[in-house]
Amino acid sequence: MRLQALLLSIAFIACSSSSGGSHASDAGADVEGADGADGSSGSSGGSGSGGDDSGGGSGSSGGSMLPDSSMPPCNLTLQGALSEAFPCTVTLEYFTSSNRTAFTISVADPRPLQLISITLQRTGRTMSGTWTNTDPMASGSVIVQGPADDAGFPEWQATSGSQDGGSQSQYDLQLMVGVGKPNPTGETFGSTGTFTATLVPQVSTGATGNLMLHVSF
């Protein structure tokens, strides 16, 4: 009986020891798994942070202001009785006191011609649209003087309602108003568009033949 009891005791101890080792191994695996999970999480966190930094670095820069499109080159050409081409300057201004808009095309040096003058006015505030010599709210004149000859300076004109020898002169302004800038008398504007005119000869000056004028600005 003692021997049997002793053998049973030894068997119980052996089983307990084996079970304890298994639990210890499982516990170790659990701890290792937890550490691995933490490490993976840390790595993932580092990658996420890197992604945030990369996203921040890819932000678009602010766009610069576009240049004023209402200030292009101005070119004037003449065909017909005269054939010439010149650079020019456009001025567009609103005068508050008279409630009128003035449009001017200037040629600083029209040589060999004597003069090129284009001045138009229209009642009301400055706005995009069409001006013609038949517009009741618009007035103005287009004058070209050629090189001097024995009779003086031959001259061609197109004015509001003008007529010479049964040939009606005419002009047409297609105007697109740009950016305005206040001044002491009102406001000045940039502009784009085209101006065309048919000028008739002033017979008294010795001029002959019609003159076609075209301006792009």
Side-chain angles (χ1 to χ4, degrees), residues 189-200:
F189 295 86
S191 62
T192 58
T194 59
F195 178 80
T196 57
T198 301
L199 288 70
V200 296

Side-chain angles (χ1 to χ4, degrees), residues 135-146:
D135 185 346
M137 299 182 68
S139 62
S141 64
V142 185
I143 301 173
V144 175
Q145 288 183 348

Side-chain angles (χ1 to χ4, degrees), residues 34-200:
D35 290 343
D38 290 344
S40 174
S41 174
S43 175
S44 174
S47 175
S49 174
D52 291 343
D53 291 343
S54 175
S58 63
S60 61
S61 60
S64 59
M65 290 292 288
L66 292 174
D68 184 359
S69 61
S70 65
M71 300 299 290
C74 176
N75 298 295
L76 182 151
T77 57
L78 297 171
Q79 293 181 331
L82 299 171
S83 181
E84 301 288 347
F86 305 95
C88 50
T89 302
V90 170
T91 303
L92 181 63
E93 186 170 3
Y94 173 72
F95 294 93
T96 306
S97 60
S98 61
N99 187 32
R100 290 185 70 81
T101 296
F103 175 84
T104 304
I105 299 176
S106 304
V107 177
D109 184 6
R111 286 180 294 180
L113 308 185
Q114 181 68 21
L115 171 71
I116 297 178
S117 173
I118 302 171
T119 57
L120 309 178
Q121 291 192 11
R122 194 176 193 279
T123 302
R125 293 194 62 85
T126 305
M127 62 181 62
S128 301
T130 301
W131 299 17
T132 68
N133 58 295
T134 59
D135 185 346
M137 299 182 68
S139 62
S141 64
V142 185
I143 301 173
V144 175
Q145 288 183 348
D149 57 22
D150 294 339
F153 298 102
E155 185 172 300
W156 291 259
Q157 290 187 11
T159 60
S160 297
S162 68
Q163 189 170 359
D164 185 3
S167 176
Q168 181 71 45
S169 64
Q170 59 184 358
Y171 61 76
D172 180 283
L173 170 64
Q174 300 295 325
L175 180 67
M176 180 66 69
V177 176
V179 178
K181 181 179 181 180
N183 63 29
T185 59
E187 195 169 4
T188 56
F189 295 86
S191 62
T192 58
T194 59
F195 178 80
T196 57
T198 301
L199 288 70
V200 296

